[in-house]
Amino acid sequence: MKRTLLITGGAGFIGSHVVRLFVNKYPDYQVVNLDALTYAGNLENLLDIQDKPNYVFEKGDITDEARIEALFGQYAFDGVIHLAAESHVDRSIMDPLAFIKTNVLGTATLLNVARQHWKGHEDGKLFYHVSTDEVYGSLGQEGLFTEQTPYDPRSPYSASKASSDHFVKAYYHTYHLPVVLSNCSNNYGSNHFPEKLIPLAIHNIKHSKPVPVYGKGDNIRDWLFVEDHARAIDTIFHHGRLGETYNIGGFNEWKNIDLIHLLCKIMDEKLQRAPGTSAQLITFVKDRAGHDLRYAIDATKLNTELGWSPSLQFEEGLEKTVAWYLANETWLDNVTSGAYQQYYQDQYNKR
Ligand code: NAD
Ligand code: DAU
């Protein structure tokens, strides 16, 4: 079947894996990747598919209504997979308005244009909104986030994502826009921008720089290999029920400090350093403001209804990830030059 899909944020971490999967797996689909190429967007992530006949890149901002209108007019999309966002919690604490603009206004702009273009012939159309488990707030030591967990966002980032989720659901109920949503836990893997914990730690260990751990390193995250997330998005896009939310997670909880010790061990092995060398770089720094204690997803619905489950054990995925970063030094060097230096100064030297 032929389809024309708009994927937003396809030059970012998760988006690039989603674009690759759809371009390679569905040669009959025309995939249009719309991305503003902010500091987090990088076309180097897509070098392997950039010349495929079913792939087009369009540089543009999701808050630019006229541009979105023109793209819908030009391509007559029948599906949208919306990933473009400001995605880093620490940056949202520094500059909340940028998050409100892209995550709330940008999502609402896309919804509105899709509604106008699909009005009266919604059959076969789908607006898929990619969201996060952070909208559910913070767990104590027990329990898991299910699709019924009430929203309780606690950072500007999660508040903006929660707001965007509400708009998506409002467009479903009010205008019958065909939508589906997913809320996923922490991803890791190749092409992850090194402001996030795992790639930042790999980069710093490689350069024998301090590895900053917030607070006591007691916070817990549920980690999922990014290619498993992309597979889940493929499954939900094709088989998810309209108006539904699907939680996606790895059933893989790690305390930050334990994760960093595992990473240090893998790095020592890969860099042929004496055991314990990298762990000496661990440096406890001032905690993140409003730091959520624990996230953990119950992905039973996605598993029982649509048959998805994670494919990789964490140790194996982390080792693959480290190997990718060590084999792709140019990618890492390119993204950590320039503006990254200023961000790093602002975020860590204040402590
Ligand atoms: P990312 O920051 O790596 O990439 C975001 C992409 O969006 C970049 O390519 C950027 O250039 C683009 N973008 C930003 N603002 C834009 C705008 N105004 N117009 C057009 N493009 C714009 O993010 P990511 O980690 O790949 O996350 C992708 C999506 O998945 C986000 O919606 C995020 O909330 C969600 N999510 C991420 C995780 C995770 O662990 N990283 C987990 C669950 C959900
Ligand atoms: O849960 C899904 C979310 O996961 C996504 O929606 C976000 O887009 C994504 O960035 C991620 O958010 P986190 O805040 O959990 O990820 P981050 O990598 O920034 O931090 C992971 C944990 O590590 C968190 O408890 C904070 C801690 N941390 C982070 C950094 C950058 C440190 O201890 N030191 C650091 O330098």
Side-chain angles (χ1 to χ4, degrees), residues 15 22 63 93 113 122 155 181 185-186 217 253 256 292 305 317 332 351:
F22 275 78
T63 64
I93 295 167
V113 174
E122 285 89 356
S155 73
L181 300 89
S185 65
N186 286 62
E253 292 181 51
N256 289 343
D292 289 339
E305 211 177 281
L332 199 54
R351 295 172 191 281

Side-chain angles (χ1 to χ4, degrees), residues 14 86-90 131-134 157 161 184-187 192 194-201 211-215 217 219-223 256 260 285 287-288 291-293 295 343-344 347-348 351:
I14 301 170
E86 289 291 343
S87 69
H88 189 36
V89 174
D90 292 321
S131 193
T132 171
D133 60 0
E134 300 201 10
Y157 164 68
K161 290 295 293 187
C184 188
S185 65
N186 286 62
N187 285 213
H192 202 181
E195 64 188 355
K196 310 280 172 73
L197 180 67
I198 291 180
L200 184 144
V211 176
V213 174
Y214 297 163
N219 304 70
I220 294 170
R221 297 291 183 264
D222 170 4
W223 294 93
N256 289 343
I260 292 296
V285 300
D287 210 350
R288 173 183 281 174
H291 198 170
D292 289 339
L293 177 66
Y295 305 144
Y343 165 76
Y344 203 88
Q347 174 63 16
Y348 294 97
R351 295 172 191 281

Side-chain angles (χ1 to χ4, degrees), residues 194 197-213 256-274 276-283 318 322 325-326 329 332 340 344:
L197 180 67
I198 291 180
L200 184 144
I202 294 172
H203 177 63
N204 286 16
I205 294 169
K206 191 182 123 198
H207 293 283
S208 298
K209 283 175 55 180
V211 176
V213 174
N256 289 343
I257 190 65
D258 297 338
L259 184 163
I260 292 296
H261 275 291
L262 173 62
L263 193 57
C264 287
K265 182 170 159 278
I266 296 172
M267 291 294 283
D268 283 344
E269 285 162 11
K270 298 262 184 221
L271 297 171
Q272 296 178 330
R273 292 177 178 168
T277 307
S278 300
Q280 288 170 18
L281 298 167
I282 294 173
T283 307
L318 201 55
V322 169
Y325 280 95
L326 296 179
E329 295 197 343
L332 199 54
Y340 178 82
Y344 203 88

Side-chain angles (χ1 to χ4, degrees), residues 39 42 44 91 193-194 203 207 209 329-344:
Y39 77 95
N42 185 353
E44 274 185 54
R91 286 187 190 254
F193 194 82
H203 177 63
H207 293 283
K209 283 175 55 180
E329 295 197 343
T330 320
W331 184 93
L332 199 54
D333 290 343
N334 287 348
V335 295
T336 51
S337 60
Y340 178 82
Q341 305 290 343
Q342 188 58 50
Y343 165 76
Y344 203 88

Side-chain angles (χ1 to χ4, degrees), residues 151-201:
Y151 275 32
D152 181 24
R154 295 150 50 97
S155 73
Y157 164 68
S158 54
S160 68
K161 290 295 293 187
S163 173
S164 66
D165 292 11
H166 290 315
F167 273 105
V168 174
K169 291 175 199 176
Y171 270 65
Y172 174 71
H173 291 291
T174 309
Y175 305 112
H176 309 296
L177 187 77
V179 307
V180 71
L181 300 89
S182 59
N183 294 75
C184 188
S185 65
N186 286 62
N187 285 213
Y188 70 98
S190 59
N191 303 105
H192 202 181
F193 194 82
E195 64 188 355
K196 310 280 172 73
L197 180 67
I198 291 180
L200 184 144

